[in-house]
């Protein structure tokens, strides 16, 4: 997702108290950012931030970090945080390729990937957020009992993601190709902006949860 450039978006982000501006400086010290030792859950490719905000509001005992590559998109989350401040949510503008420079070994308890960009060309497969190259990075930062939760309506991307799990050394804990009709996996589901859009168009939502 890329939005039209908004004049001053970088400046607004630079001044926001909800954004962690030098995330690599917090490596191994994220508990200090939140002022407590609660588990840290992150969403990579957060978009406009609705999912993170709803989760943070529902789970005050968990600390959340929403990661987004583009400032024009992050700006929307910053603006929402101005209206609904959440002490257990921080935002970071960065490329997920740098994730191991930002989190220490085992520092993250859960990773959410929602409606990740598909990068349909084969030569771009390693840019896909559920690729084995990214799973190797997530392995570094995720606690031993940590989980990755991935949702998408893109069947090709989901097939690819499932094929990556075992070769990358992970196990499928739960999987569905129609989340909204799967009573068990739907329990407690929080919709993302893309999930709302695509499910309202009738697209089934695929989801997996993986662990090691
Ligand atoms: N997760 C949101 C949702 O489900 O509504 C947004 C989905 S949108 C299709 C994917 C988002 O991931 C975009 O905002 C894009 O900028 C971001 N993104 C893609 N690649 C990224 C990367 N390497 N690092 C951080 N963010 C990334």
């Amino acid at each position: 997702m890329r939005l039209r450039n908004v004049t001053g978006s970088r400046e607004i982000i630079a001044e926001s108290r909800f954004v962690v501006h030098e995330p690599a400086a917090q490596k191994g010290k994220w508990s200090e950012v939140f002022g407590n030792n609660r588990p840290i859950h992150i969403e990579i490719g957060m978009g406009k931030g609705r999912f993170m905000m709803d989760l943070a509001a529902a789970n005050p005992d968990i600390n959340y970090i929403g990661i987004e590559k583009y400032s024009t998109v992050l700006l929307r989350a910053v603006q929402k945080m101005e209206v609904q401040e959440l002490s257990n949510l921080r935002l970071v503008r960065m490329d997920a390729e740098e994730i191991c420079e930002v989190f220490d070994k085992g520092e993250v308890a859960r990773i959410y990937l929602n409606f990740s960009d598909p990068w349909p060309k084969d030569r771009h497969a390693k840019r896909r957020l559920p690729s084995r190259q990214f799973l190797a990075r997530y392995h570094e930062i995720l606690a031993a009992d940590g989980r990755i939760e991935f949702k998408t309506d893109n069947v090709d991307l989901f097939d690819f993601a499932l094929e990556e799990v075992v070769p990358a050394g992970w196990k499928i804990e739960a999987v569905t190709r129609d989340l909204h009709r799967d009573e068990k996996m739907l329990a407690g589901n929080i919709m993302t902006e893309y999930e709302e859009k695509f499910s309202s168009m009738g697209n089934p939502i695929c989801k997996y949860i993986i662990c090691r």
Side-chain angles (χ1 to χ4, degrees):
M1 185 196 316
R2 269 177 125 155
L3 300 176
R4 198 164 43 86
N5 194 34
V6 180
T7 314
S9 62
R10 279 192 182 261
E11 289 75 9
I12 294 168
I13 288 168
E15 283 166 19
S16 173
R17 63 191 189 284
F18 309 118
V19 178
V20 177
H21 299 288
E22 288 186 35
Q26 304 308 327
K27 184 173 178 172
K29 298 189 288 191
W30 281 95
S31 54
E32 290 175 18
V33 171
F34 292 99
N36 61 59
N37 280 318
R38 293 174 184 150
I40 293 172
H41 294 188
I42 68 175
E43 182 184 10
I44 303 179
M46 165 192 67
K48 299 180 199 166
R50 172 176 162 193
F51 175 77
M52 277 285 94
M53 291 187 69
D54 287 351
L55 269 183
N59 302 292
D61 290 343
I62 294 171
N63 295 324
Y64 291 93
I65 301 169
I67 293 168
E68 170 54 45
K69 189 168 168 181
Y70 294 110
S71 43
T72 51
V73 183
L74 186 74
L75 177 67
R76 304 304 172 95
V78 169
Q79 288 167 331
K80 285 190 201 139
M81 286 281 280
E82 297 288 348
V83 178
Q84 187 192 358
E85 193 167 328
L86 292 157
S87 61
N88 60 332
L89 173 60
R90 295 291 187 282
L91 310 174
V92 171
R93 195 198 65 73
M94 63 173 269
D95 190 318
E97 287 190 12
E98 292 149 26
I99 202 96
C100 295
E101 277 109 78
V102 167
F103 296 102
D104 217 346
K105 272 193 180 301
E107 198 169 16
V108 173
R110 187 163 300 218
I111 298 175
Y112 293 101
L113 306 173
N114 292 316
F115 297 81
S116 308
D117 294 342
W119 291 106
K121 290 183 182 150
D122 284 348
R123 68 189 155 88
H124 291 150
K126 64 174 189 265
R127 296 186 192 174
R128 298 172 192 154
L129 293 180
S131 68
R132 65 190 68 188
Q133 289 82 0
F134 272 102
L135 290 178
R137 296 180 177 111
Y138 307 149
H139 171 71
E140 288 297 310
I141 64 166
L142 201 63
D145 60 351
R147 301 281 186 275
I148 299 176
E149 299 198 12
F150 171 52
K151 293 196 275 193
T152 184
D153 70 319
N154 185 315
V155 175
D156 289 341
L157 180 64
F158 195 64
D159 287 343
F160 166 82
L162 285 174
E163 282 166 17
E164 295 291 271
V165 173
V166 173
W170 295 67
K171 289 184 283 204
I172 296 172
E173 186 175 75
V175 62
T176 178
R177 287 181 179 270
D178 197 351
L179 175 64
H180 293 187
R181 285 170 203 249
D182 185 318
E183 211 177 309
K184 202 167 160 209
M185 285 191 75
L186 189 62
N189 184 54
I190 288 189
M191 296 249 260
T192 79
E193 270 134 348
Y194 270 64
E195 183 173 358
E196 197 141 90
K197 179 174 158 192
F198 290 121
S199 61
S200 72
M201 289 162 58
N203 296 6
I205 307 302
C206 306
K207 175 171 180 173
Y208 77 39
I209 302 173
I210 61 171
C211 57
R212 284 155 298 172

